[in-house]
Structure formats: structure tokens, C-alpha cells
Amino acid sequence: MSDASTFPGGTAVSWLDVYDSESIDGLRGGSPHMHLASAECYVVVGGRGRLQTLNRSGVKETQLEPGVVVWFTPGTVHRAINDGDLRVLVIMQNAGLPEAGDAVMTFPAEHLVDAETYRSAAQLPERLTEAERQADADRRRDLAVRGFLELRDAAEAGDFAPFEAFAAAAARIVQPRVGEWQGIWRGVVGAQADETRRSMDGLAAGDWSSLLAAGVFEASANPGDRRFGMCGRLRTYQLAR
């Protein structure tokens, strides 16, 4: 990529309506998954729910209600639970990486053998109706929940070996794409950091010419219907020049 993001920090933003269909454990919500290189932040704007998380530090559940801001770093398995009309503004580190595959859902081990096996379980087929697309998203979610419950139950019993095995499998699955991620990062986050460094170097030397390039930008929503994401229905925005 050659265009630097105009959004602060090289981040991405999207509106998320968390799925309200019931999963195999009776809870309503999204697909548990882990990001491999990017942190994620929830700014809760409506409704109520919970964020279930699992990492090497243990299992945690965070209550979600309007005004709550919570974030989690790469390597954290997370699952959004919708207890009533949960709406979230999602801020993602490293704009472009999540869209390039920086997430692996917690499918059972037999679906994590390699990238192709994982993709066959993760990819949603093309469907004509929204009801069919929702049903496919629910089936994918339930598969991820099944794997998540196994990881969580083991961790609660003090056994983190299954979690570590999942993390290792996730790293193998994404490894072929890391070179692509590095190019995206350099063109977005790296480019913005370089621009800030040049500006500060100039200011330190008494050169304020960087201020003459100031601008005001407005993001437009990407066209098309809200897509079926891992956690719910997403509305993404065009944030690059």
C-alpha cells in the first residue's frame, strides 16, 4: 500500500451490531476468535452484554453497557455476548490487517490442521437471501463456540495446554500471509508514524512547514449491505486517502 490512513493511529473503525441468535450453549452472540497481530477496542454505544476473554493469564468476563471502553491485545480469544441490543463502535489497530486475515476462530482442532482446512470451515458461501447468510454465519459461530468451550473449560481447570495448542495452530495458519501484513503495516501505520516523526523533527528544528499540509477528512461508509462478520453485522468505513 502507498496511501497512509488519514485516521489517527492508523486504526480502523466499524459499527457492530452483535448477533442476537442463540448459540449451542444458550447464549446469544458472536464467534470466539483471536487476532494474531492487532489489538481491538470496544466502545459500547447501546444495549448490554458481556465480553468473554481467554488468554494465558486466564478466563475473564467483562460487563458491557453504554460508555464502557475495553480493549484486548493480540493473543486474546474473545467472544461478544449480546444480552440485549448490544451495539459497539469497534476500533482496530493496524488498519488493513484484520481484513487480510489477522483473526482465527476457535474451531475444534480437526479444522485447524492447515490454512486450507481452516478456510473451508471459516469461509461463508455465497447465498441469495439474508436468512441463508445468517444461517451460515450461525453455523460457523456454533463451530467456534464448541472449540472455545473446550479451551475455556480446560483453562478454568488450570490446564492451558489446549489454549497453547490453539495459539500455535493459529500462528501456522496465518504464517503464509505475514509478508502481506508487513507490506500493509508499512503503508498504513508505518507511513503515518514516519509522517509524525518528520513533523516533529521539523518542529524541533524550528521548521513548521508541515502545518501547511493540514486537512480535514470525512469518512464514508463502504458501499453495500452490512457484512456478516465474526461477531455480528458490520458497517465499515473508508479511511484511506
Side-chain angles (χ1 to χ4, degrees):
M1 291 180 63
S2 59
D3 293 334
S5 169
T6 59
F7 199 77
T11 57
V13 298
S14 58
W15 285 104
L16 170 66
D17 290 289
V18 178
Y19 291 133
D20 63 359
S21 55
E22 188 173 297
S23 189
I24 56 175
D25 61 350
L27 299 179
R28 302 176 184 273
S31 304
H33 61 283
M34 171 192 287
H35 292 284
L36 279 291
S38 301
E40 182 173 3
C41 175
Y42 281 6
V43 181
V44 183
V45 296
R48 58 189 180 87
R50 289 164 281 162
L51 177 69
Q52 296 182 337
T53 54
L54 166 62
N55 54 32
R56 194 56 180 80
S57 298
V59 178
K60 184 177 180 180
E61 185 169 278
T62 303
Q63 295 296 317
L64 302 178
E65 60 185 21
V68 168
V69 177
V70 58
W71 67 92
F72 36 93
T73 54
T76 299
V77 173
H78 51 285
R79 177 193 186 191
I81 303 299
N82 188 348
D83 291 323
D85 301 321
L86 182 60
R87 299 194 69 211
V88 175
L89 175 66
V90 179
I91 303 173
M92 286 296 311
Q93 186 186 22
N94 302 324
L97 295 196
E99 295 81 1
D102 171 34
V104 175
M105 285 174 278
T106 54
F107 296 149
E110 62 267 25
H111 300 283
L112 304 172
V113 176
D114 52 36
E116 184 59 36
T117 303
Y118 174 78
R119 184 166 53 247
S120 66
Q123 191 170 21
L124 296 178
E126 292 292 332
R127 299 292 191 183
L128 293 178
T129 71
E130 184 164 308
E132 290 174 325
R133 294 194 294 271
Q134 182 68 65
D136 287 331
D138 287 347
R139 281 192 291 270
R140 181 178 70 175
R141 184 270 316 279
D142 290 346
L143 186 63
V145 168
R146 181 155 65 89
F148 171 73
L149 294 177
E150 295 173 358
L151 301 180
R152 186 197 66 186
D153 291 348
E156 287 180 334
D159 180 10
F160 285 88
F163 170 79
E164 293 176 2
F166 166 75
R172 289 195 303 270
I173 287 169
V174 304
Q175 187 175 13
R177 305 198 67 176
V178 174
E180 176 190 356
W181 294 359
Q182 290 170 321
I184 293 172
W185 188 92
R186 285 191 294 268
V188 178
V189 184
Q192 194 169 84
D194 288 343
E195 185 175 341
T196 300
R197 176 185 52 78
R198 288 191 295 269
S199 175
M200 289 194 298
D201 287 347
L203 291 170
D207 176 9
W208 50 271
S209 60
S210 61
L211 304 181
L212 301 178
V216 177
F217 303 91
E218 184 176 351
S220 57
N222 285 315
D225 296 335
R226 294 178 303 154
R227 66 183 182 88
F228 287 85
M230 294 183 183
C231 292
R233 299 297 299 273
L234 287 172
R235 171 67 71 190
T236 58
Y237 290 82
Q238 178 57 249
L239 300 177
R241 293 175 185 166

